Amino acid sequence: MPEEVHSLTAKVPALRRHAYLFTGSRSMADDAVETCLRELPRHADGRHAQDIDEPTLHRHLHKILTEMQEARADLAVSPRLRSLLALPRVQRKLLLLVSLDHLAVKDAAGILGLDLTTAVHHLSAARSAFEALEA
């Protein structure tokens, strides 16, 4: 298996988990990840670019997730997931990128187009709100 394919394959489970926790739907998550991987930059010969870093990959996934329809009315979700989905979008994204995907706050801020101070504020608010919703 070529190194670039192996590298991307290793990232798929984390991308799927992240997309699922953002959307609350396994099928929407799978669609988003598939679209993300299909639309990655390619070399002239059609191969995926090997130098895709985590922040770039997540930025691309979040662009796709943001564009997807958020039809959740028919979803049966756990109370914990419902609490996560109740957070404002930017707070939910930051919480997932930092807590679940273990990205630095600076990298998460860059993915979402926020300055570091704003990201820290939103992340703190997200953590407080998520804890309060779970209580």
Side-chain angles (χ1 to χ4, degrees):
M1 178 181 301
E3 181 180 330
E4 67 189 50
V5 173
H6 179 68
S7 175
L8 285 174
T9 301
K11 296 175 183 179
V12 170
L15 291 172
R16 286 184 72 219
R17 180 182 65 234
H18 186 88
Y20 170 67
L21 290 172
F22 181 75
T23 64
S25 164
R26 292 196 193 285
S27 65
M28 286 177 70
D30 287 345
D31 289 347
V33 170
E34 179 183 347
T35 302
C36 177
L37 295 175
R38 187 177 53 244
E39 293 180 358
L40 286 177
R42 294 181 181 267
H43 294 291
D45 64 4
R47 295 180 300 120
H48 284 297
Q50 293 181 21
D51 56 354
I52 300 293
D53 59 10
E54 290 289 323
T56 301
L57 191 57
H58 279 279
R59 187 177 303 112
H60 188 63
L61 178 62
H62 276 280
K63 177 182 171 280
I64 291 163
L65 288 169
T66 300
E67 292 170 355
M68 292 180 78
Q69 198 173 43
E70 291 193 12
R72 296 189 185 112
D74 60 340
L75 298 177
V77 297
S78 71
R80 187 175 180 112
L81 181 56
R82 188 168 293 126
S83 295
L84 181 65
L85 294 173
L87 294 174
R89 180 179 295 175
V90 69
Q91 290 181 9
R92 182 170 63 244
K93 287 181 177 183
L94 278 167
L95 188 63
L96 291 171
L97 288 169
V98 172
S99 299
L100 183 65
D101 294 317
H102 307 291
L103 293 177
V105 177
K106 180 182 176 184
D107 290 335
I111 289 168
L112 300 175
L114 302 171
D115 64 73
L116 185 57
T117 304
T118 302
V120 168
H121 172 75
H122 281 301
L123 183 58
S124 177
R127 287 178 172 151
S128 297
F130 188 64
E131 290 171 5
L133 289 169
E134 285 201 308

